[in-house]
Amino acid sequence: MSISVTTWYLEQTSPADLSPAGEPPAEQDLRIVRSEVPSPEFSRFLHTAVGRHVNWTDRLTWSYAQWAAHLGRPGVETWVAYEHGTPAGFIELAAEADGSVEIVYFGLVPDFQGRRIGGHLLTYGTERAWDLAERWPDLARTKRVWLHTCSQDGPHAKANYERRGFRVYETTVTEEPDVTAPGPWPGAGPTTAGASAGE
């Protein structure tokens, strides 16, 4: 069985395009930290914990070696948001030879949605995409930041990107297999009723 999936490609072409979100309240003790040591185990955990409810399946078949090779590539960065020391979500960046930086993945663990983390993490991650070459001096200065989201993602995902200043430059519609991502374990999901992905 297949379903029709709409994919939107969005971009910023200048750091001035970014429209920052406000920060969560200080009592949330939110910190955003770069995961500097490539860790396939940790990255796969983030991928399954965040991607379970939006059907991220493309990396589930990756071997340890594939994860390690990807994470060890120059210009690939994972920034993780922690609330009171617990991973709440992440944003993965990947630099390209032409000066583009892709936001490859971005999202929150379901229990942390609706807590004003998403907009702030996207703001912070986009800023890191624009200054990525400062941490990787052998790479070209960032000229463009882009991403894609689709109708399988959370209902507020596209609007969150647009609020941060990303503009749609291409839209596609494809037929894709109707599959469900397993998550960290069968039946994993939010323990409380939270809002959908976004702010």
Side-chain angles (χ1 to χ4, degrees):
M1 184 175 176
S2 66
I3 57 172
S4 181
V5 177
T6 301
T7 301
W8 298 277
Y9 296 83
L10 301 95
E11 67 180 355
Q12 292 183 4
T13 54
S14 165
D17 291 340
L18 178 61
S19 178
E23 296 189 17
E27 57 267 23
Q28 282 183 239
D29 187 28
L30 189 79
R31 295 177 299 113
I32 301 174
V33 179
R34 181 177 161 207
S35 183
E36 294 190 47
V37 178
S39 171
E41 295 91 344
F42 185 48
S43 289
R44 193 177 196 282
F45 156 74
L46 292 171
H47 185 81
T48 58
V50 171
R52 160 66 179 91
H53 67 297
V54 288
N55 287 334
W56 290 356
T57 59
D58 56 312
R59 292 188 181 177
L60 297 182
T61 60
W62 279 18
S63 67
Y64 186 93
Q66 285 175 297
W67 276 103
H70 171 73
L71 296 170
R73 187 164 63 85
V76 170
E77 296 184 345
T78 302
W79 293 85
V80 185
Y82 295 87
E83 184 174 352
H84 292 288
T86 302
F90 78 106
I91 188 165
E92 181 185 303
L93 310 176
E96 301 170 355
D98 64 357
S100 294
V101 174
E102 181 183 4
I103 296 177
V104 185
Y105 284 102
F106 161 71
L108 302 178
V109 175
D111 274 340
F112 292 88
Q113 294 173 359
R115 300 171 62 81
R116 298 186 59 194
I117 298 172
H120 177 58
L121 176 58
L122 181 58
T123 296
Y124 191 90
T126 303
E127 291 172 340
R128 300 296 71 77
W130 280 112
D131 64 21
L132 187 141
E134 295 176 13
R135 295 179 298 282
W136 301 91
D138 291 338
L139 298 180
R141 182 179 59 84
T142 303
K143 300 173 184 173
R144 171 178 174 258
V145 178
W146 72 281
L147 57 91
H148 70 271
T149 188
C150 74
S151 52
Q152 294 265 78
D153 285 340
H156 304 293
K158 179 172 176 279
N160 189 16
Y161 295 129
E162 291 175 324
R163 282 194 297 274
R164 301 289 74 80
F166 285 90
R167 299 175 304 275
V168 174
Y169 67 90
E170 184 179 352
T171 303
T172 62
V173 179
T174 56
E175 292 296 316
E176 298 183 8
D178 187 9
V179 296
T180 300
W185 64 84
T191 56
T192 59
S196 297
E199 298 293 325

